Structures are given as structure tokens and as C-alpha cells.
Amino acid sequence: MKYSVSMEIALPRERVAQLLADPAQLPMWLRGLVLHEPLSGTHGQVGTVSRVVLQMGSQKMEATETVTRREPVDLRGIPSESVVLFEREIVGGGMWSVTRDRLTEAGPQTTLWESENEYRFSGVLMRLVGLLMPGAFRKQSRQHMLDFKAFAEQGQDVRDARA
């Protein structure tokens, strides 16, 4: 299953890239994040492998995330014609996925965030989930992007909504 989601963020591309790459910011916008810890490497750098635990309702999902691509490596002084690219592979619970996030300058104070997502499933149950609920994956990706947008533009923390 493949799909793309995109959205504009009312911040300069360099700032959006910094916020997305900062591990300290993840709990503020990544809804359901319980744990994101590097097992090897440095957070956000190519080759880094991390353990990720997400809680979605009563379901807990554990996976391994590997950063497979990041361009440019240094986010300072990105030329306006450049595209910032983050790519990561996630494996766990009968699922393999890759996400390619592209940040392009849409204006002096606006960034276009495009996210391409691909999923593959193994096991009867996960294959059924993939076949019967493809919209749930797109909806979750969009929700993560909306949460990031609210955090980046207005400082909203998803943990405040848990009350």
C-alpha cells in the first residue's frame, strides 16, 4: 500500500526541519509516543536504529526505526532551491514501512511538507488490516502532520489533550 499526504506549515523550511529533527520535540507532537530511544547511532542521523513504542488506544505497538536518508545533513544555511529530505524505515508487528518526508520552500515563511508512505504486511491478521483499513493509515499520517503543524505554529502539545 502506498499513499502521499501533504500540508503547508507557516514557518520557514529551516525551522520546520529543525523541529522535525529534534528528539526533544517528538513527544509534543507525535501522538501516542511512549518511547523513542536510539539503540545505535545518534538520533536523526543516517544509520541510526531506534526503538519506538506507540500507544494507540488500548493497542501498544513496538517497532524498530532506521534512518535511511537525510539530506542535507547540516540543516543550517540550506539554499532556497534545496529540498530537505528525511527517510526512515520502520519494522515491527507484521509490518514494514518506509516514509519519505520532503520539505520545500513554498514561500519566505511557508514550508510544504510532503510525506510519501509505503507499507507491506506479513501474517494473515496484518494483511487483513492492510486490505480492510487502508484509510486508517492515511488518516493517522495526516493526524501526525496536523499535530506537528499545531505544535510548530501555535505551540500546542498533544499531551495537553489527554485530560
Side-chain angles (χ1 to χ4, degrees):
M1 167 179 48
K2 293 181 183 182
Y3 63 88
S4 296
V5 220
S6 64
M7 131 176 342
E8 284 194 358
I9 310 289
L11 287 173
R13 183 193 48 201
E14 186 173 339
R15 181 67 182 141
V16 171
Q18 289 168 343
L19 288 171
L20 282 172
D22 184 353
Q25 309 301 323
L26 281 172
M28 293 179 234
W29 65 269
L30 190 54
R31 190 178 300 262
L33 181 68
V34 174
L35 179 73
H36 191 286
E37 67 176 352
L39 300 173
S40 65
T42 303
H43 180 85
Q45 299 302 312
V46 173
T48 299
V49 176
S50 299
R51 179 174 166 235
V52 180
V53 179
L54 292 169
Q55 181 82 40
M56 295 172 230
S58 62
Q59 300 281 42
K60 193 176 262 189
M61 182 189 108
E62 185 168 333
T64 302
E65 174 192 74
T66 304
V67 177
T68 54
R69 191 170 173 190
R70 178 178 172 175
E71 295 175 11
V73 174
D74 183 358
L75 298 174
R76 292 169 290 174
I78 305 165
S80 61
E81 67 278 357
S82 296
V83 171
V84 174
L85 181 68
F86 296 104
E87 185 176 287
R88 63 195 176 283
E89 180 180 276
I90 299 173
V91 178
M95 177 199 76
W96 170 92
S97 75
V98 65
T99 300
R100 291 174 196 90
D101 290 323
R102 243 188 304 328
L103 304 175
T104 54
E105 196 173 272
Q109 297 295 315
T110 307
T111 301
L112 177 61
W113 179 9
E114 298 171 285
S115 183
E116 294 176 13
N117 302 271
E118 180 180 349
Y119 286 86
R120 295 183 194 150
F121 304 101
S122 61
V124 176
L125 180 62
M126 284 307 293
R127 284 187 179 155
L128 277 173
V129 167
L131 283 172
L132 299 175
M133 299 177 57
F137 290 86
R138 179 187 300 265
K139 183 178 177 182
Q140 181 182 16
S141 295
R142 182 132 180 91
Q143 185 63 59
H144 288 318
M145 291 176 89
L146 286 168
D147 289 341
F148 177 81
K149 179 180 176 69
F151 162 70
E153 293 178 356
Q154 296 144 14
Q156 292 180 14
D157 189 325
V158 295
R159 297 170 297 182
D160 294 341
R162 292 185 198 163

